[in-house]
Amino acid sequence: TPYTRIKTTLTFPDNYPSHPLIANIDQDAVVPPGLKKKLEKELNSLASEKSAKSSEQQFDQVCAVWQHLVSFVDDNLFVPCWKELRKCVDLIQNQNSITTTKLTTA
């Protein structure tokens, strides 16, 4: 969908492919800080694994990173609405807090 987008920058070090590429996720309205950190860790780890493999597999870094990112977006349908989910959780917690307060004062 037009709302599910994650802007990624791939940086290729001088010794690529024997050194892993670096994936950076841009934080924006779709990508909260925690998701940015999680995705960067996963993508960079995947690139490191591929760079440590045989010379033929070292060149698979871009493909592996891209496939993982696309798969993540396709499989996690709540990525575009994380703010709404957070508001729902906060609302429920707030409601539980009010209910608990009413029960203890009654």
Side-chain angles (χ1 to χ4, degrees):
T1 70
Y3 303 105
T4 306
R5 63 175 177 15
I6 297 177
K7 186 175 179 184
T8 306
T9 304
L10 300 179
T11 304
F12 297 90
D14 291 335
N15 296 336
Y16 178 83
S18 59
H19 286 76
L21 61 84
I22 301 164
N24 292 310
I25 306 291
D26 290 348
Q27 185 178 333
D28 61 8
V30 175
V31 183
L35 180 58
K36 174 187 182 328
K37 185 176 180 179
K38 175 190 182 321
L39 281 174
E40 284 180 346
K41 183 178 178 182
E42 289 177 1
L43 297 176
N44 289 323
S45 174
L46 188 58
S48 287
E49 289 174 19
K50 290 293 183 181
S51 71
K53 303 275 182 173
S54 67
S55 60
E56 291 176 7
Q57 292 180 340
Q58 288 177 343
F59 289 100
D60 290 339
Q61 292 179 50
V62 174
C63 185
V65 165
W66 182 255
Q67 286 176 340
H68 183 77
L69 187 59
V70 169
S71 174
F72 177 84
V73 171
D74 288 345
D75 294 343
N76 293 283
L77 302 177
F78 294 115
V79 169
C81 60
W82 70 270
K83 284 185 179 180
E84 289 81 0
L85 289 173
R86 182 76 232 161
K87 287 180 184 179
C88 290
V89 169
D90 291 344
L91 182 64
I92 291 168
Q93 287 176 342
N94 188 28
Q95 185 64 32
N96 287 340
S97 172
I98 292 171
T99 304
T100 304
T101 304
K102 285 182 183 179
L103 289 174
T104 57
T105 57

Coordinates of all heavy atoms in Angstrom, one line a residue, residues 10 12 16 21 46-47 50 57-68:
L10 N 21.6 2.0 1.6 CA 22.6 1.0 1.7 C 23.9 1.7 1.4 O 24.1 2.3 0.3 CB 22.4 -0.2 0.7 CG 21.1 -0.9 0.9 CD1 21.0 -2.0 -0.2 CD2 21.0 -1.5 2.3
F12 N 28.0 1.1 0.8 CA 29.0 0.1 0.4 C 30.4 0.5 0.9 O 30.9 1.5 0.3 CB 28.9 -0.2 -1.1 CG 27.6 -0.7 -1.5 CD1 26.6 0.1 -1.9 CD2 27.3 -2.1 -1.5 CE1 25.3 -0.4 -2.3 CE2 26.1 -2.6 -1.9 CZ 25.1 -1.7 -2.3
Y16 N 34.0 -3.7 0.0 CA 32.8 -4.5 -0.3 C 33.2 -5.4 -1.4 O 33.9 -5.0 -2.3 CB 31.6 -3.6 -0.7 CG 30.4 -4.4 -1.2 CD1 29.5 -4.9 -0.2 CD2 30.2 -4.7 -2.5 CE1 28.4 -5.6 -0.6 CE2 29.1 -5.4 -2.9 CZ 28.2 -5.9 -1.9 OH 27.1 -6.6 -2.3
L21 N 27.9 -4.6 3.8 CA 27.3 -3.3 3.5 C 26.6 -2.8 4.8 O 26.4 -3.6 5.8 CB 26.3 -3.4 2.4 CG 25.1 -4.3 2.5 CD1 24.0 -3.7 3.3 CD2 24.6 -4.7 1.1
L46 N 22.5 -9.6 8.9 CA 22.4 -10.5 7.7 C 23.5 -10.2 6.7 O 24.1 -11.1 6.1 CB 21.0 -10.2 7.1 CG 20.5 -11.1 5.9 CD1 20.5 -12.6 6.4 CD2 19.2 -10.7 5.5
A47 N 23.8 -8.9 6.5 CA 24.9 -8.5 5.6 C 26.2 -9.1 6.1 O 27.0 -9.5 5.3 CB 24.9 -7.0 5.4
K50 N 26.5 -12.8 5.4 CA 26.8 -13.0 3.9 C 28.2 -12.6 3.6 O 28.9 -13.3 2.8 CB 25.8 -12.2 3.0 CG 24.4 -12.7 3.1 CD 24.3 -14.1 2.5 CE 22.9 -14.6 2.4 NZ 22.8 -15.9 1.9
Q57 N 29.0 -16.0 -2.3 CA 27.9 -15.6 -1.5 C 28.0 -14.2 -1.0 O 27.0 -13.6 -0.6 CB 27.7 -16.6 -0.4 CG 27.2 -18.0 -0.9 CD 27.0 -18.9 0.3 OE1 27.5 -18.8 1.4 NE2 26.2 -20.0 0.0
Q58 N 29.2 -13.7 -1.0 CA 29.4 -12.3 -0.5 C 28.6 -11.3 -1.3 O 28.1 -10.3 -0.8 CB 30.9 -11.9 -0.6 CG 31.7 -12.6 0.5 CD 33.2 -12.3 0.3 OE1 33.6 -11.7 -0.7 NE2 34.0 -12.5 1.4
F59 N 28.4 -11.6 -2.6 CA 27.7 -10.7 -3.4 C 26.2 -10.7 -3.2 O 25.4 -10.0 -3.8 CB 28.0 -10.9 -4.9 CG 29.4 -10.4 -5.3 CD1 30.5 -11.3 -5.3 CD2 29.7 -9.1 -5.5 CE1 31.7 -10.9 -5.7 CE2 31.0 -8.7 -5.8 CZ 32.0 -9.6 -5.9
D60 N 25.7 -11.7 -2.4 CA 24.3 -11.8 -2.1 C 23.8 -10.9 -1.0 O 22.7 -11.0 -0.6 CB 24.0 -13.3 -1.7 CG 24.1 -14.2 -2.9 OD1 24.0 -13.8 -4.1 OD2 24.3 -15.5 -2.7
Q61 N 24.7 -10.0 -0.5 CA 24.3 -9.2 0.6 C 23.1 -8.3 0.3 O 22.1 -8.2 1.0 CB 25.5 -8.3 1.0 CG 26.6 -9.0 1.6 CD 27.7 -8.1 2.0 OE1 27.5 -7.1 2.7 NE2 28.9 -8.4 1.6
V62 N 23.1 -7.6 -0.9 CA 22.0 -6.7 -1.2 C 20.7 -7.5 -1.4 O 19.7 -7.1 -0.9 CB 22.4 -6.0 -2.5 CG1 21.2 -5.1 -3.0 CG2 23.6 -5.1 -2.4
C63 N 20.8 -8.6 -2.1 CA 19.6 -9.4 -2.3 C 19.0 -9.9 -1.0 O 17.8 -9.8 -0.8 CB 19.9 -10.6 -3.2 SG 18.5 -11.6 -3.7
A64 N 19.9 -10.4 -0.1 CA 19.4 -10.9 1.2 C 18.8 -9.8 2.0 O 17.7 -10.0 2.6 CB 20.5 -11.6 1.9
V65 N 19.4 -8.7 2.1 CA 18.9 -7.5 2.8 C 17.6 -7.1 2.3 O 16.6 -6.9 3.0 CB 19.9 -6.4 2.9 CG1 19.3 -5.1 3.3 CG2 21.1 -6.7 3.8
W66 N 17.5 -7.0 1.0 CA 16.3 -6.5 0.3 C 15.1 -7.5 0.5 O 14.0 -7.1 0.9 CB 16.5 -6.4 -1.2 CG 15.3 -5.9 -1.9 CD1 14.5 -6.6 -2.7 CD2 14.8 -4.5 -1.9 NE1 13.5 -5.8 -3.2 CE2 13.7 -4.5 -2.7 CE3 15.2 -3.4 -1.3 CZ2 12.9 -3.4 -2.9 CZ3 14.4 -2.2 -1.5 CH2 13.3 -2.2 -2.3
Q67 N 15.4 -8.8 0.4 CA 14.4 -9.8 0.6 C 13.8 -9.8 2.0 O 12.6 -9.9 2.3 CB 14.9 -11.2 0.2 CG 15.0 -11.4 -1.2 CD 15.6 -12.8 -1.5 OE1 16.3 -13.4 -0.7 NE2 15.4 -13.3 -2.8
H68 N 14.7 -9.6 3.0 CA 14.3 -9.6 4.4 C 13.4 -8.4 4.7 O 12.4 -8.5 5.3 CB 15.5 -9.6 5.3 CG 15.2 -9.6 6.8 ND1 14.8 -10.7 7.4 CD2 15.1 -8.6 7.7 CE1 14.5 -10.5 8.7 NE2 14.7 -9.2 8.9

